[in-house]
Amino acid sequence: MSPEKMVYMTNQIATYFKTQADPDRAGKIADHLSDFWEPRMLEKLYAHVDSGGAGMDPLVVEAAQRVRRAKAA
Amino acid sequence: MKDFILPPLNDRDMGTPTKQGAPITLTIDGFAVTVPEGTSVMRAAAEAGLQIPKLCASDNLEAFGSCRLCVVEIEGRRGTPASCTTPVVEGMVVRTQTQHIKKIRKGVMELYISDHPLDCLTCAANNDCELQDMAGMVGLRDVRYIAPANAPLANHFMRQNTSGEANPQWLPKDETNPYFTYDPAKCIVCSRCVRACEEVQGTFALTIEGRGFDSRVSFGAKTDTALASDCVSCGACVQACPTGTLQENSVIELGTPERAVVTTCAYCGVGCSFKAELNGDELVRMVPYKNGKANRGHSCVKGRFAYGYANHKDRILNPMIRDQITDPWREVSWTEAMEFTATRLRALQAKYGQKSIGVITSSRCTNEETYLVQKLARAVFGNNNTDTCARVCHSPTGYGLGQTFGTSAGTQDFDSVEHTDVVIVIGANPTDGHPVFASRLKKRMRKGAKLIVIDPRRIDLVKSAHIKAAHHLPLRPGTNVAVVTALSHVIVTEGLMDEAFIRDRCDWDEFQDYAAFVSDLRHSPEATALLTGVDANELRAAARLFATGGNGAIYYGLGVTEHSQGSTTVMAIANLAMLTGNIGRNGVGVNPLRGQNNVQGSCDMGSFPHELPGYRHVKFPEVRKIYEDAWGITIDPEPGLRIPNMLDAAVDGTFKGLYCQGEDILQSDPDTKHVAAGLAAMECVIVHDLFLNETANYAHVFLPGSSFLEKDGTFTNAERRINRVRKVMAPKNGYGDWEVTQLLANAMNGNWTYTHPSQIMDEIAATTPSFAGVNYDMLDAKGSVQWPCNDDNPDGTPLMHVDGFVRGKGRFIVTEYIATDEKTGPRFPLLLTTGRILSQYNVGAQTRRTDNVIWHDQDLLEIHPHDAEVRGVKDGDYIKLASRSGETTLRATITDRVSPGVVYTTFHHPDTQANVITTDFTDWATNCPEYKVTAVQVSPSNGPTEWQTDYNTQAEQSRRILPAAE
């Protein structure tokens, strides 16, 4: 999966959750990623976040860090 | 192995339709019988086990009273009334076999037979002819009507009179339809065919031409043939015909069948029950089974006639392997094929990791087979890399309805439509995609139900014979969320919602948030009209009708799901149903029309990479434990790869092997070039199919599949109905598909020991709560059952969410419209959307290999006259269709069914390659591809594109098979 495609997909998810009134949108995005994304996709996501997260919605960056912490726990 | 006894075929014709009403008791020939008010005397007699002779009556048609054979005597009434048109009355005393009646009947039969050829022994309907049966029943021994020497008796069946002069009343056979023949010489003008076409199918293609002795059954105008007429070849007329006048060509060719097995159609998600009628193991015909609860005795051209693919010469019957996809295929034994495959797959896992291989389960195979394929991934491969074609069709239904109602299940049974007052059909074309459901819907519409169609195209339901939609909202592709949210806006701002239902059944706080959101003026039909192209007044009227018109039901298809906002539209639909209180009873509901025969079942069986059977996430240890205990392995708690992710990972080099059962991803999935690149990057692609499909061009192993006629199992249709599939002949390839998967599992040390699919169902029932009460004995006894079927619902669940939603309170979700990034512009100014046509199915692998190609031998591009004119495109011209993904060529057909700016095509033919055009945009939640919106340009063309030529060359090379070794 190209980084552009991954950024596009994650931003699509963020765009949806930003329309929701939920107080913890990053948490909702994190749950979604955790439930539906396969580990090697998540690895790519973490790598992109580590390298600055270019083009990525800040909510996705936060969600990615949360997923990483939760899965490591 | 256990022997299964087929259910007794209780499908006797009761003469007239069943009625609902207060009990009425009468006496027929001395027997007391009690039937509902409104029942005919004929049916009452049949209920008492007495058959009154009849010709023009059939219990799927309203009584007509034309043949006069069913006359009876009723105490206290004058004359001899027809029993089919006479309703029962309390205390009525009926005699069906008096001397007077018998004489009348014999006279009637004598007249019929005097104008009927007496070639019974060589007639295709011999031994399957009601005229013959009735002549026998009334004891007709003589026909006294003999022509005088010099004045031939007028008749319809002799081509020439005895002097050799042509008979002007004789008409030649109409053999234009590939599946049935109309022989006017044998017709008794009972009108059953005409009434079946009207009442059952709703097409009105047939009529009676002329009066009295000149009356003839006619396909529309006198000059029309069966093929040129409006006939959709559903077979209802052929089934209704009591003589050999309308006869299946297969019966003409093969003879009348002697045995019948009830089974389930392998085409669309309606899941019609059929009687497979055979001699030995030769299938003679498929006849819709009247006790089938999805179809109630009706069928369409595909299930009824298009089964010939099972014997097509293209079918591959031996396993084949090759080292490279550039090599020709080599036929090998099953043992060698399995050893080759197992060795390769294990080597890939050793080199690239446990998660480097996966499976795609088939929505065309049985529940049992699908269950085994996902079990292969989870228990033998040791990963969750399993997905199914629902990824590319109804995965947003799973997500959207799961979020709002708590389960992805469609809420109703098909019978529910008989209680509906207002129907919304959105993003579906039932007359083509789900024809038997469409017939049931049209029947309800003719009784007064109103219809709202939301579709970019003017589909047949918008207006056809004797039906007309109250509103058609021809939206721009990609604006579903805006339109459905605008409907809710009107309902909320005009105070038309069902507040009592919402307070009682839904989360009231969430509704408040939703109501505030949806009331915003930016969601009004006036504000969104520019965007959606839908007239605001029309939309307001549609919303008012749906909110106030009585029982409201929503039926939707892939025009809803296959968008960047597919999941959001499903939630918007669920909101609309909750808002109007249309959930939890007959005649209402949210009804996803599933595309393939067992796409519901393949989802139920745990085909998705994040869910075990019964929609339970792999992250839950208590769910994993059930399978870990049952299978003796450990289940990966992380979700696996979805189909688009598998292809991405393949291109990245981390996904190397795929077992693909009964699915042709190269043709059916979007962005063909990307799919091809993914497949080409894999080192072991196993295709398990009837034919060398397009995906097989990139395969290293081909495992021949079996047809639905060749195995036992179950399919689950769009109404969650589990129907039995029964083996009527031995697999031509040697093994049922479940056995092939087991061979592969065991070649990889799976130690599976199933000897019959019933054992697989027992395992499913033991591990999946919603299937706990299901087993083959029960299905044989009940015919079919809708899940959930367990201790709480031992007879299954026709209606969902009756007393409360599965998740507790129904949840309203804010559905903000977010435009797709697939936008028109100067380079690609038109929007392409795709769909299905009646005679073809999915990628066409089956239907293209039948006579159905007579109706649709190539995919055509529908384009509006305005768009065609400015591009210099004429009807039938070859045109080039280009998007940012690729380009292809096909022929254009000019029509105002599509709006200006919108073009449409089907994807049934691989040489069209419509998916070269579609892009890699997907639904935000589920990665379901956005098939329904692609920005394109259309220009005149001379012939195939370079891609098409290259593709065909590669395909031809790839399909070479080495001659078997001497």
Side-chain angles (χ1 to χ4, degrees):
Chain A
M1 187 168 50
S2 69
E4 297 76 31
K5 193 166 170 180
M6 181 178 62
V7 169
Y8 186 85
M9 275 166 56
T10 51
N11 286 351
Q12 246 186 315
I13 297 167
T15 307
Y16 168 78
F17 283 106
K18 282 203 269 188
T19 67
Q20 303 300 303
D22 199 286
D24 181 19
R25 289 164 175 161
K28 285 283 184 289
I29 299 169
D31 289 348
H32 188 90
L33 293 171
S34 178
D35 279 356
F36 299 110
W37 280 44
E38 202 257 1
R40 77 193 88 169
M41 296 165 69
L42 291 175
E43 287 302 328
K44 286 199 147 197
L45 175 64
Y46 305 152
H48 187 79
V49 168
D50 287 346
S51 65
M56 216 165 242
D57 193 293
L59 278 174
V60 174
V61 174
E62 191 192 331
Q65 283 157 347
R66 284 210 217 171
V67 177
R68 191 183 215 168
R69 278 199 299 275
K71 298 259 180 194
Chain B
M1 194 195 101
K2 186 174 172 190
D3 275 323
F4 287 95
I5 298 160
L6 301 179
L9 290 177
N10 182 15
D11 57 351
R12 200 156 54 98
D13 187 342
M14 308 296 278
T16 62
T18 177
K19 300 284 176 191
Q20 311 265 325
I24 301 279
T25 301
L26 68 161
T27 309
I28 304 176
D29 293 342
F31 296 98
V33 58
T34 303
V35 292
E37 190 177 4
T39 303
S40 70
V41 170
M42 175 182 279
R43 189 176 177 104
E47 298 283 359
L50 307 168
Q51 195 199 337
I52 297 175
K54 65 178 186 62
L55 281 169
C56 73
S58 173
D59 61 10
N60 62 341
L61 304 171
E62 291 302 326
F64 197 55
S66 84
C67 76
R68 312 310 298 173
L69 201 60
C70 72
V71 290
V72 291
E73 285 185 48
I74 298 172
E75 255 177 40
R77 292 203 190 181
R78 286 191 304 171
T80 50
S83 62
C84 64
T85 52
T86 305
V88 294
V89 172
E90 187 63 40
M92 190 182 244
V93 178
V94 181
R95 306 293 311 176
T96 73
Q97 284 290 100
T98 65
Q99 285 305 325
H100 182 47
I101 292 169
K102 289 197 287 188
K103 196 172 166 197
I104 292 174
R105 288 188 190 142
K106 210 181 265 191
V108 169
M109 278 311 296
E110 194 176 357
L111 279 165
Y112 271 120
I113 300 302
S114 72
D115 191 14
H116 192 84
L118 297 178
D119 61 349
C120 291
L121 287 180
T122 53
C123 176
N126 187 22
N127 203 25
D128 183 26
C129 172
E130 293 178 39
L131 190 67
Q132 203 175 43
D133 296 345
M134 291 306 118
M137 190 175 173
V138 305
L140 183 69
R141 297 289 172 260
D142 193 19
V143 175
R144 292 163 297 169
Y145 305 104
I146 307 285
N150 295 320
L153 205 60
N155 71 71
H156 296 97
F157 65 88
M158 290 171 71
R159 192 170 186 158
Q160 296 160 330
N161 67 14
T162 44
S163 324
E165 289 163 359
N167 174 4
Q169 294 284 0
W170 178 86
L171 294 173
K173 289 180 189 172
D174 181 340
E175 296 177 306
T176 54
N177 186 296
Y179 295 122
F180 64 83
T181 296
Y182 168 44
D183 183 358
K186 291 177 176 169
C187 180
I188 60 169
V189 202
C190 64
S191 296
R192 270 165 70 167
C193 54
V194 177
R195 288 146 60 211
C197 193
E198 291 180 8
E199 294 177 32
V200 180
Q201 167 56 29
T203 291
F204 295 77
L206 285 165
T207 187
I208 299 286
E209 175 100 27
R211 309 182 63 153
F213 195 69
D214 293 329
S215 303
R216 311 305 287 261
V217 170
S218 168
F219 285 90
K222 224 169 192 170
T223 49
D224 275 342
T225 60
L227 192 64
S229 72
D230 290 342
C231 169
V232 293
S233 203
C234 69
C237 58
V238 180
Q239 197 184 344
C241 181
T243 69
T245 307
L246 286 158
Q247 185 76 56
E248 296 93 346
N249 288 347
S250 61
V251 173
I252 295 174
E253 188 191 333
L254 303 171
T256 41
E258 282 300 319
R259 71 184 180 103
V261 181
V262 175
T263 190
T264 305
C265 178
Y267 281 116
C268 78
V270 176
C272 297
S273 296
F274 276 87
K275 286 193 295 182
E277 298 192 343
L278 307 97
N279 284 320
D281 69 348
E282 182 175 60
L283 182 62
V284 176
R285 66 178 168 189
M286 297 286 282
V287 183
Y289 183 45
K290 80 180 218 189
N291 294 336
K293 289 176 186 146
N295 55 319
R296 302 284 176 193
H298 190 37
S299 62
C300 82
V301 58
K302 293 188 283 273
R304 178 79 153 96
F305 295 118
Y307 50 80
Y309 65 86
N311 287 320
H312 194 273
K313 63 178 170 50
D314 287 353
R315 188 164 163 195
I316 305 285
L317 300 176
N318 294 306
M320 304 191 295
I321 59 172
R322 58 184 172 190
D323 280 322
Q324 308 284 334
I325 60 167
T326 46
D327 294 342
W329 285 108
R330 191 158 60 83
E331 284 189 358
V332 294
S333 68
W334 281 100
T335 313
E336 188 178 349
M338 290 303 165
E339 276 170 13
F340 177 89
T341 311
T343 308
R344 275 212 168 188
L345 291 177
R346 285 301 188 210
L348 288 174
Q349 286 192 300
K351 187 169 172 191
Y352 298 102
Q354 192 161 330
K355 297 187 180 184
S356 63
I357 62 174
V359 300
I360 295 179
T361 73
S362 176
S363 294
R364 295 176 203 164
C365 285
T366 62
N367 285 317
E368 293 75 3
E369 288 164 341
T370 302
Y371 177 86
L372 286 194
V373 175
Q374 63 89 32
K375 178 174 175 179
L376 178 73
R378 295 195 157 109
V380 179
F381 295 179
N383 63 45
N384 286 317
N385 291 330
T386 169
D387 207 357
T388 190
C389 89
R391 176 64 51 209
V392 300
C393 65
H394 266 295
S395 53
T397 294
Y399 184 83
L401 295 186
Q403 293 289 313
T404 47
F405 297 163
T407 171
S408 66
T411 63
Q412 312 295 115
D413 57 8
F414 283 128
D415 285 348
S416 166
V417 77
E418 290 166 16
H419 307 276
T420 296
D421 301 310
V422 188
V423 177
I424 292 181
V425 170
I426 170 167
N429 185 10
T431 55
D432 289 49
H434 304 86
V436 168
F437 164 70
S439 289
R440 299 187 69 176
L441 171 60
K442 288 196 286 187
K443 188 171 189 173
R444 181 67 195 157
M445 286 173 71
R446 290 195 303 274
K447 286 182 179 163
K450 301 281 193 293
L451 175 68
I452 298 160
V453 172
I454 305 176
D455 200 285
R457 275 174 87 232
R458 196 180 66 238
I459 58 173
D460 283 354
L461 279 180
V462 173
K463 190 176 186 315
S464 50
H466 295 261
I467 55 145
K468 187 173 186 297
H471 303 284
H472 175 214
L473 312 181
L475 75 180
R476 269 173 73 78
T479 61
N480 286 331
V481 171
V483 169
V484 181
T485 306
L487 289 170
S488 293
H489 170 90
V490 175
I491 291 167
V492 171
T493 55
E494 297 189 7
L496 303 175
M497 63 275 194
D498 184 344
E499 192 177 323
F501 179 91
I502 299 166
R503 281 187 184 277
D504 183 35
R505 302 286 303 277
C506 306
D507 186 312
W508 183 251
D509 288 341
E510 269 161 345
F511 172 70
Q512 294 297 316
D513 293 343
Y514 175 75
F517 158 80
V518 84
S519 302
D520 194 305
L521 267 183
R522 73 181 196 282
H523 301 302
S524 71
E526 290 75 16
T528 50
L530 263 179
L531 177 79
T532 62
V534 175
D535 180 83
N537 290 329
E538 197 71 12
L539 192 148
R540 279 192 183 272
R544 289 169 192 148
L545 173 64
F546 188 70
T548 61
N551 282 345
I554 305 172
Y555 291 84
Y556 72 91
L558 306 185
V560 159
T561 53
E562 289 173 347
H563 290 275
S564 287
Q565 273 200 295
S567 292
T568 315
T569 311
V570 173
M571 294 189 275
I573 287 171
N575 289 339
L576 187 59
M578 290 188 289
L579 201 56
T580 50
N582 280 313
I583 289 286
R585 61 179 193 278
N586 246 326
V588 300
V590 174
N591 305 275
L593 293 169
R594 311 269 172 178
Q596 300 211 48
N597 53 324
N598 198 37
V599 71
Q600 177 74 53
S602 71
C603 298
D604 302 342
M605 291 298 107
S607 294
F608 287 137
H610 65 283
E611 282 171 345
L612 285 156
Y615 304 97
R616 291 166 295 167
H617 204 285
V618 292
K619 70 185 173 186
F620 296 118
E622 66 277 16
V623 180
R624 290 201 305 278
K625 185 168 186 310
I626 296 170
Y627 292 92
E628 289 173 342
D629 290 349
W631 299 343
I633 45 92
T634 308
I635 290 187
D636 184 356
E638 293 294 335
L641 294 165
R642 301 171 286 196
I643 294 172
N645 311 145
M646 289 180 189
L647 295 165
D648 286 336
V651 172
D652 289 347
T654 65
F655 189 80
K656 289 291 186 180
L658 178 68
Y659 171 45
C660 183
Q661 181 179 70
E663 177 70 11
D664 192 359
I665 57 170
L666 185 60
Q667 192 184 342
S668 66
D669 285 32
D671 196 359
T672 307
K673 289 179 182 175
H674 180 64
V675 180
L679 289 169
M682 294 183 206
E683 293 177 20
C684 186
V685 174
I686 305 137
V687 166
H688 181 182
D689 207 290
L690 296 176
F691 307 105
L692 275 175
N693 61 18
E694 305 307 306
T695 307
N697 296 343
Y698 290 89
H700 307 82
V701 179
F702 184 88
L703 303 175
S706 52
S707 81
F708 74 112
L709 298 165
E710 299 167 355
K711 57 200 182 188
D712 281 301
T714 54
F715 290 153
T716 308
N717 74 355
E719 34 162 27
R720 297 170 275 107
R721 185 180 302 286
I722 306 162
N723 264 314
R724 277 281 273 118
V725 178
R726 291 188 176 87
K727 181 174 172 176
V728 302
M729 58 179 72
K732 293 189 192 309
N733 56 323
Y735 291 108
D737 295 328
W738 60 277
E739 294 172 286
V740 174
T741 305
Q742 174 160 276
L743 285 174
L744 179 56
N746 287 341
M748 298 177 78
N749 302 320
N751 298 319
W752 294 0
T753 54
Y754 305 106
T755 56
H756 193 274
S758 66
Q759 299 159 345
I760 307 171
M761 181 53 84
D762 292 342
E763 183 175 316
I764 296 166
T767 52
T768 313
S770 51
F771 278 70
V774 182
N775 60 64
Y776 280 23
D777 287 340
M778 181 265 234
L779 290 173
D780 287 344
K782 289 190 199 293
S784 66
V785 69
Q786 287 172 271
W787 66 256
C789 175
N790 44 33
D791 287 347
D792 293 341
N793 309 284
D795 294 325
T797 312
L799 300 174
M800 298 289 286
H801 316 298
V802 173
D803 299 315
F805 285 99
V806 167
R807 72 181 300 278
K809 291 282 186 188
R811 185 174 157 219
F812 282 92
I813 294 180
V814 165
T815 54
E816 188 76 64
Y817 168 68
I818 293 157
T820 170
D821 287 319
E822 184 65 18
K823 290 185 169 61
T824 54
R827 278 181 69 205
F828 303 113
L830 302 170
L831 283 181
L832 170 74
T833 187
T834 58
R836 233 185 230 189
I837 205 161
L838 170 67
S839 60
Q840 299 287 340
Y841 175 71
N842 201 266
V843 295
Q846 292 139 292
T847 45
R848 277 185 282 112
R849 292 181 171 95
T850 68
D851 287 331
N852 278 24
V853 289
I854 201 168
W855 288 282
H856 185 77
D857 62 355
Q858 57 185 309
D859 294 319
L860 297 170
L861 185 84
E862 291 187 3
I863 182 167
H864 190 272
H866 174 77
D867 291 327
E869 191 183 355
V870 298
R871 288 169 177 77
V873 172
K874 294 188 295 297
D875 202 60
D877 276 0
Y878 239 127
I879 55 97
K880 186 173 83 176
L881 179 68
S883 75
R884 65 182 169 85
S885 289
E887 55 188 46
T888 188
T889 56
L890 67 168
R891 290 187 189 278
T893 179
I894 295 177
T895 171
D896 65 355
R897 269 182 178 242
V898 289
S899 306
V902 177
V903 292
Y904 167 89
T905 190
T906 48
F907 59 98
H908 301 305
H909 290 271
D911 39 0
T912 315
Q913 290 285 355
N915 281 325
V916 172
I917 305 302
T918 50
T919 68
D920 62 355
F921 282 144
T922 63
D923 174 48
W924 68 267
T926 67
N927 274 175
C928 178
E930 186 164 61
Y931 287 108
K932 300 295 183 184
V933 191
T934 311
V936 294
Q937 177 59 296
V938 171
S939 54
S941 160
N942 293 323
T945 61
E946 198 178 325
W947 162 262
Q948 280 170 302
T949 313
D950 290 353
Y951 181 91
N952 285 333
T953 311
Q954 195 271 348
E956 206 171 299
Q957 278 289 106
S958 178
R959 292 199 178 115
R960 287 170 302 151
I961 300 174
L962 282 182
E966 292 291 317

